[in-house]
Amino acid sequence: MANIKSQQKRNRQAVIRTVRNKAIRSELKTRTKNAIEAARSGDGAATAEALRVAQKRIDQAQAKGVLKKNTASRRKSNLARRVSAISAEG
């Protein structure tokens, strides 16, 4: 445990931020999975909506600093490519 008061505060803040960031990352994974499952189901409207929501959450995570700019861009691109490929198959 740190002896310096400011470092003790930084440690408390880090715990809070870790929990918040973990929740955001978990939601990103869930939204991404939902978009892929919607694409597999073949419902065009549901797929478009799920993709839109997933990309919006990725943008929000990037705005909050959970993801870096290029990471968010890459994830959105990969997600769109996967959904498009799945939709084209079936």
Side-chain angles (χ1 to χ4, degrees):
M1 186 65 185
N3 293 325
I4 300 167
K5 199 171 188 179
S6 61
Q7 187 59 48
Q8 291 171 346
K9 181 178 178 180
R10 297 293 297 164
N11 290 342
R12 289 193 307 268
Q13 290 174 332
V15 170
I16 292 167
R17 289 185 178 127
T18 300
V19 171
R20 185 187 313 133
N21 291 344
K22 192 172 186 179
I24 292 170
R25 284 193 195 100
S26 174
E27 185 184 8
L28 288 178
K29 290 177 190 174
T30 302
R31 299 291 182 175
T32 300
K33 185 178 77 171
N34 290 346
I36 292 169
E37 290 299 319
R40 287 197 178 120
S41 72
D43 186 7
T47 300
E49 178 63 18
L51 180 62
R52 185 188 68 78
V53 171
Q55 288 179 336
K56 181 178 179 182
R57 293 296 187 206
I58 291 171
D59 286 336
Q60 287 176 341
Q62 186 257 316
K64 291 183 178 188
V66 177
L67 298 177
K68 290 186 177 180
K69 189 171 113 177
N70 288 346
T71 302
S73 180
R74 183 180 68 246
R75 285 191 183 195
K76 284 173 29 181
S77 176
N78 287 343
L79 176 61
R81 196 169 345 127
R82 284 181 72 184
V83 167
S84 178
I86 293 169
S87 298
E89 283 177 4

